[in-house]
Amino acid sequence: MHHFCDTAFIGLILLNAASFTLMGIDKYKSSHNKWRISERTLFVMALLGGSAGVLCGMYFFHHKTRHKSFIYGIPIIILIQLLAAYYFYFYIIVL
């Protein structure tokens, strides 16, 4: 079980790093009038577990901070993921 948790943790770190990087790339592209990364892609990355990376990228790059779907949606995704992790840990792993 520990190997699974280590692998999952490393996967989440990589996914969040990728999500953070995508936010930076999209900010760069938006300020240079280039083809953009879709909001849908950014939300999919958040839903897959990269929500912390998206949230950090929002405020680090000052990107998508005026979009209500991101201002409220990303923290809601994080809350749901934290509740799911709590449930998974205390009701699946511990029991």
Side-chain angles (χ1 to χ4, degrees):
M1 187 57 135
H2 289 298
H3 180 65
F4 170 76
C5 290
D6 292 343
T7 304
F9 183 72
I10 291 169
L12 280 175
I13 295 292
L14 293 173
L15 186 59
N16 278 286
S19 298
F20 180 83
T21 302
L22 281 178
M23 290 296 285
I25 291 168
D26 193 48
K27 174 65 176 188
Y28 173 82
K29 287 183 170 193
S30 72
S31 61
H32 289 86
N33 294 321
K34 297 194 177 234
W35 188 261
R36 304 280 304 279
I37 297 168
S38 72
E39 290 185 359
R40 182 182 192 139
T41 299
L42 297 172
F43 269 106
V44 167
M45 291 295 284
L47 287 168
L48 291 174
S51 52
V54 171
L55 186 67
C56 289
M58 281 175 59
Y59 292 101
F60 184 82
F61 298 112
H62 303 284
H63 188 52
K64 304 287 187 191
T65 55
R66 294 184 183 177
H67 291 74
K68 290 192 188 299
S69 61
F70 279 84
I71 293 170
Y72 297 113
I74 299 301
I76 289 170
I77 290 170
I78 290 173
L79 179 63
I80 291 168
Q81 289 171 340
L82 288 172
L83 291 171
Y86 176 85
Y87 176 81
F88 180 75
Y89 181 76
F90 285 106
Y91 294 100
I92 305 297
I93 293 178
V94 174
L95 294 179

